Amino acid sequence: METTARTRVPRNTLSAELIVASALNLLDQVGVEAFSLRALAKNLGVAPMTLYTYFRGKDELLDAVRDHALGAAALTTAYGGWQHQIRTICRRLRGQILEHPCLTGLLQQRPLAGHESAESAESLLKALVEGGFNAENAARAYTTLLGFVVGVTTLEVRLLEENRDPERREKVRQIMTGLPPERYPTLVEHAGALRQTVGGDTQFEFGLDLVIAGMEQRLILAG
Amino acid sequence: METTARTRVPRNTLSAELIVASALNLLDQVGVEAFSLRALAKNLGVAPMTLYTYFRGKDELLDAVRDHALGAAALTTAYGGWQHQIRTICRRLRGQILEHPCLTGLLQQRPLAGHESAESAESLLKALVEGGFNAENAARAYTTLLGFVVGVTTLEVRLLEENRDPERREKVRQIMTGLPPERYPTLVEHAGALRQTVGGDTQFEFGLDLVIAGMEQRLILAG
DNA sequence: TCGCCGTTCCGTACGCCGTACGGTACAGTG
DNA sequence: CACTGTACCGTACGGCGTACGGAACGGCGA
């Protein structure tokens, strides 16, 4: 991994898939911000410009990584009532983001658009339509679900990162304890609960329950 | 704006507030990715290194911008029942993100932590506690709301950007029309509805209704 | 076997970036 | 008028994405 490639690398030891997989690894380790083609090339034991044989540039590579990382989220089909199907798909989506934290950054700048994400979208929409939503409301519910899952899971990932880094953790603690209680009484009182509850399966399921319960009620009121 | 500062700028024409305001402008125009201290300095008619008199570095400046942009979201207090208060606060938060699209990127890497965001957090938590949620559930509901608002509004901002850029717009259209209908029947059928409904007040209110309805039911079942 | 060619790999270079370091010039104080 | 602290900045370093042209290699027809 560290022996700088002094000699020319043999042909066809590389492939787009291999590059994408290695990029995903690096992205998860260092984050989207610090990721660079040069570092990726070094990891692969290859000159930076070689990557351009397989991708038009950094953007195209990142798109490919996003699709690749998201692809595994849509492996199996969901069964049961529409509520259960939705739960399953959303859980898988969250699981994939947690497994590949760089997805938070990738999805933020490049929302789902490739074939890989189509699988999840299809399943979600299908469950909603089968559940009884008309076209417009199914689309709106889909967007709501997607925004919720990505938004909440992003918060979760950030919190995990914070807790890993003692310095950043201390900084947040100082901000929290430095808040004037007379100005933010509720926030100060619940600061502990906030830090403890954010993240984790329970938090996610709580939100998912809320959204799905709201959907059920909406279905009763008007398809 | 374009005359390169050949002469030394007079003293004290600069201030942290002025820098932050100008940075927010530039960030909204070019996006978090393309933003650079050098470009900001040029806009201000100042040498790049001068910015370091007011901020320790780029990160600290971005934090300040995030707090500044978020600050205006918490100007007035919310009235009415807890549902109405929550609606008001979430709408203001979304409005602020729409007004300053760079917030999507800033919030993604630097979740709310400063005094400015404390105002919103305090109001939201207060409404939830007054509504009857216990400490744990109030915290969970707060995280759900925050994730939902940021997540959905981020999708909205991305769609607006896409629609502004004809090239990117065409690319998305091609992907959508290129999807095999036999594999993604529901998605293909509802593609139009998806593109039309994402974004806009109606979409946001739809999701907000869902979440709040879910909260009301949750309150009935167990505080 | 040899020569050719398309593909894959890469060395170099350019113009950006953030910022460490040290210097310069000015406001305010004595 | 000298002194000092601070606001401003010139220079430079290492790293980035990538345009461009060239080198090396596998495979194929002769």
Side-chain angles (χ1 to χ4, degrees):
Chain A
M1 177 192 282
E2 70 299 334
T3 62
T4 48
R6 293 288 82 220
T7 73
R8 183 171 274 246
V9 122
R11 282 180 155 245
N12 298 332
T13 54
L14 229 50
S15 72
E17 291 76 21
L18 212 147
I19 294 176
V20 166
S22 183
L24 179 56
N25 251 326
L26 187 56
L27 275 161
D28 280 335
Q29 283 174 29
V30 306
V32 180
E33 297 286 293
F35 171 82
S36 79
L37 293 185
R38 292 171 121 106
L40 173 61
K42 185 170 284 185
N43 271 9
L44 288 163
V46 139
M49 286 311 291
T50 303
L51 302 174
Y52 284 77
T53 309
Y54 299 89
F55 299 95
R56 211 183 302 277
K58 196 184 187 184
D59 277 10
E60 197 175 296
L61 172 59
L62 289 181
D63 279 340
V65 171
R66 185 248 285 126
D67 290 345
H68 176 70
L70 227 40
L75 281 184
T76 62
T77 54
Y79 297 104
W82 64 271
Q83 296 97 331
H84 189 258
Q85 289 184 44
I86 285 177
R87 279 201 156 76
T88 305
I89 300 163
C90 288
R91 283 184 192 129
R92 277 207 299 251
L93 195 50
R94 165 174 175 264
Q96 214 58 23
I97 298 177
L98 288 180
E99 193 163 344
H100 299 294
C102 68
L103 272 175
T104 58
L106 295 179
L107 289 176
Q108 195 274 351
Q109 321 165 357
R110 310 153 196 280
L112 322 88
H115 280 226
E116 317 297 341
S117 64
E119 208 76 44
S120 294
E122 167 71 19
S123 309
L124 269 179
L125 273 178
K126 182 156 151 287
L128 291 167
V129 171
E130 280 180 2
F133 283 100
N134 61 30
E136 179 184 332
N137 284 347
R140 297 209 184 284
Y142 169 80
T143 301
T144 303
L145 278 170
L146 189 63
F148 160 76
V149 172
V150 175
V152 169
T153 312
T154 296
L155 289 177
E156 193 172 348
V157 168
R158 284 298 157 282
L159 186 84
L160 288 175
E161 286 176 5
E162 254 174 36
N163 284 348
R164 229 188 313 280
D165 176 4
E167 181 197 342
R168 193 147 183 84
R169 189 173 179 166
E170 175 59 18
K171 194 172 155 194
V172 171
R173 204 191 55 77
Q174 282 193 359
I175 290 177
M176 291 302 252
T177 57
L179 289 176
E182 66 277 11
R183 191 177 164 113
Y184 309 110
T186 326
L187 179 56
V188 169
E189 185 186 341
H190 293 76
L194 263 182
R195 301 287 299 173
Q196 280 181 354
T197 56
V198 169
D201 295 352
T202 312
Q203 167 68 60
F204 185 75
E205 297 293 331
F206 180 97
L208 205 49
D209 284 346
L210 252 52
V211 177
I212 291 182
M215 290 166 110
E216 285 173 334
Q217 180 182 324
R218 174 92 196 190
L219 264 186
I220 294 171
L221 295 181
Chain B
M1 179 191 280
E2 71 297 336
T3 62
T4 49
R6 293 287 84 222
T7 73
R8 183 174 273 246
V9 124
R11 281 172 96 92
N12 297 333
T13 54
L14 230 50
S15 72
E17 291 76 21
L18 211 149
I19 294 177
V20 166
S22 182
L24 179 55
N25 250 325
L26 187 56
L27 276 161
D28 281 334
Q29 282 175 30
V30 306
V32 180
E33 298 286 294
F35 171 82
S36 79
L37 292 186
R38 292 171 122 108
L40 173 61
K42 184 170 286 188
N43 272 8
L44 288 164
V46 140
M49 285 312 291
T50 303
L51 301 174
Y52 284 77
T53 309
Y54 298 90
F55 300 94
R56 210 184 303 276
K58 195 183 187 183
D59 277 10
E60 197 174 295
L61 172 59
L62 288 181
D63 279 340
V65 172
R66 185 250 285 127
D67 289 345
H68 174 71
L70 228 40
L75 281 184
T76 61
T77 55
Y79 297 103
W82 64 271
Q83 297 98 329
H84 188 257
Q85 290 184 43
I86 285 178
R87 280 201 156 78
T88 304
I89 300 163
C90 288
R91 283 184 193 130
R92 277 206 299 249
L93 195 51
R94 166 173 175 265
Q96 213 57 24
I97 298 177
L98 288 181
E99 192 163 344
H100 298 294
C102 69
L103 273 174
T104 58
L106 294 179
L107 289 176
Q108 196 273 329
Q109 322 164 358
R110 309 151 196 279
L112 321 89
H115 279 226
E116 317 297 341
S117 65
E119 208 76 44
S120 294
E122 167 70 19
S123 309
L124 269 180
L125 272 177
K126 182 158 151 287
L128 291 167
V129 172
E130 281 180 1
F133 283 100
N134 62 30
E136 179 183 333
N137 284 347
R140 297 208 183 284
Y142 169 80
T143 302
T144 304
L145 278 170
L146 189 63
F148 161 76
V149 172
V150 176
V152 168
T153 311
T154 296
L155 290 177
E156 195 173 346
V157 168
R158 283 298 157 280
L159 186 84
L160 289 175
E161 287 176 4
E162 253 172 39
N163 285 349
R164 229 186 315 278
D165 177 4
E167 181 196 342
R168 195 147 181 84
R169 189 173 179 166
E170 176 60 18
K171 194 173 158 193
V172 171
R173 204 191 56 78
Q174 281 192 0
I175 291 177
M176 291 303 251
T177 57
L179 289 176
E182 67 276 11
R183 192 176 163 111
Y184 309 110
T186 325
L187 178 56
V188 169
E189 186 187 341
H190 294 75
L194 263 182
R195 300 288 298 175
Q196 280 181 353
T197 56
V198 168
D201 294 355
T202 312
Q203 167 68 59
F204 186 74
E205 296 295 331
F206 180 98
L208 205 49
D209 284 346
L210 252 53
V211 177
I212 291 182
M215 291 167 111
E216 285 174 335
Q217 179 183 325
R218 175 92 194 188
L219 264 187
I220 295 172
L221 295 180

